[in-house]
Amino acid sequence: SSIANRFVLISLFPYTIMLNLILFGPPGSGKGTQAERLEEAYNLVHISTGVLFRSEMDEGTELGIKANEYMSRGELVPDEVTIGMLKNKMLSHADAEGFIFDGFPRTAPQAEALDQLLKEMGQQIDALIMLDVPEDEIVKRIVLRGKDSNRPDDSDPEIVRKRFQVYQNKTAPIYDYYNEKGIAFKINGTGSIDDIFQNLCDTIDSLHV
Ligand code: AMP
C-alpha cells in the first residue's frame, strides 16, 4: 500500500521533484567547469550571470554596455540590473527540471530576490555548495585562464585583486545566509576535475530532495 500511496502522490504532484542548486565560491574556483558537468548529469538548466553579461556585451546590447562599465573595473553590476536579467532567463525556462546557479547570488538582496522568485514558482533552493580553494591557488588559476580566455578582467592583476575584495566583502556572507537555513555545504575545490565532480555528486545525492 505504500507503493500505491506513492503513486497517488506522484500523480497529484507530478512536477514537485525539482532540484535547485547554487554553486558557490570565489572567482576562479571552478564553478563554471563543474556547473557544466552538473547541468548534464542532473538535467538542470545552468545559469551563469557572468556568461549572460558577456554575451550581452558581445551583442552590444544596452544591458551589455551598462554591465561592462562595472565588469571592466571588477565591480558588481547593480542588483536591479542583475536580478532583472536572471528573472528573464528563469522565466524563459519555465519547463526546467531545476536550475544550477553559477555566479549568482552575489549579494544579500540577490539571495532574497532569488528565494522570492523561486517561492512564486512553488520552488526553493535545495543546496548551496561552496568550492573551497586557497587564495594563492586561485590567483594562479585566474592568471592561467586570462592567458587564453579573452577575458580582460582575468588578465589584469589589479582587477583580479578587486574581484577578490568584492567577493570577500559582499559575496562570502551569502554562505552564512544559506548555512542558517541548514542547506550550505563546503567541498574541497582542489585536485582533479573528476574528483571534485565526484564530491559534488556525493553531496547532491545525499540531499533529501
Ligand atoms: P563571473 O563570470 O561570474 O566571474 O562574472 C564576471 C563579472 O560579471 C563580475 O566580476 C561582475 O562584474 C559581473 N557579475 C557576474 N555575476 C554577477 C552578479 N550576480 N552580480 C553582480 N555582478 C555580476
Side-chain angles (χ1 to χ4, degrees):
S1 84
S2 84
I3 288 177
N5 285 339
R6 194 177 298 182
F7 179 73
V8 170
L9 279 173
I10 291 169
S11 5
L12 282 175
F13 305 103
Y15 304 116
T16 50
I17 305 159
M18 316 249 325
L19 181 65
N20 295 301
L21 304 171
I22 297 170
L23 202 53
F24 195 73
S29 56
K31 299 187 295 290
T33 304
Q34 296 294 342
E36 278 174 22
R37 289 196 164 200
L38 293 171
E39 169 175 47
E40 200 166 321
Y42 292 89
N43 203 19
L44 305 172
V45 173
H46 171 201
I47 301 185
S48 157
T49 41
V51 167
L52 291 177
F53 282 134
R54 281 187 289 278
S55 89
E56 294 280 345
M57 266 166 55
D58 291 346
E59 287 168 28
T61 68
E62 209 174 307
L63 178 78
I65 291 164
K66 172 131 183 114
N68 188 40
E69 287 172 30
Y70 299 89
M71 294 169 78
S72 63
R73 295 196 298 254
E75 288 168 10
L76 293 181
V77 179
D79 284 336
E80 212 182 71
V81 177
T82 307
I83 292 166
M85 180 180 70
L86 177 101
K87 193 169 176 173
N88 286 338
K89 184 73 182 173
M90 284 175 72
L91 293 177
S92 75
H93 288 279
D95 56 347
E97 293 188 17
F99 293 99
I100 178 153
F101 300 97
D102 155 14
F104 186 96
R106 265 173 152 103
T107 64
Q110 289 181 18
E112 284 156 19
L114 178 61
D115 282 353
Q116 185 56 36
L117 198 57
L118 285 169
K119 201 170 165 190
E120 285 165 16
M121 299 167 79
Q123 297 180 50
Q124 64 196 20
I125 290 295
D126 299 296
L128 172 148
I129 310 178
M130 175 173 174
L131 297 173
D132 203 10
V133 182
E135 189 165 333
D136 52 346
E137 166 83 16
I138 290 281
V139 175
K140 270 189 245 161
R141 286 191 195 179
I142 293 193
V143 171
L144 212 66
R145 182 170 79 182
K147 283 183 182 152
D148 51 24
S149 73
N150 45 355
R151 281 185 59 170
D153 63 341
D154 278 347
S155 321
D156 183 335
E158 205 53 51
I159 296 170
V160 171
R161 253 193 295 280
K162 174 71 186 170
R163 285 162 65 206
F164 264 115
Q165 256 176 29
V166 170
Y167 174 78
Q168 297 293 357
N169 295 337
K170 294 188 175 156
T171 305
I174 299 301
Y175 183 89
D176 301 319
Y177 174 86
Y178 289 97
N179 198 27
E180 277 164 27
K181 299 175 190 277
I183 55 170
F185 302 85
K186 218 175 257 191
I187 70 161
N188 182 356
T190 63
S192 77
I193 291 176
D194 284 341
D195 287 347
I196 298 165
F197 179 67
Q198 192 53 54
N199 285 336
L200 279 168
C201 291
D202 290 346
T203 304
I204 293 166
D205 294 341
S206 73
L207 296 172
H208 301 285
V209 177

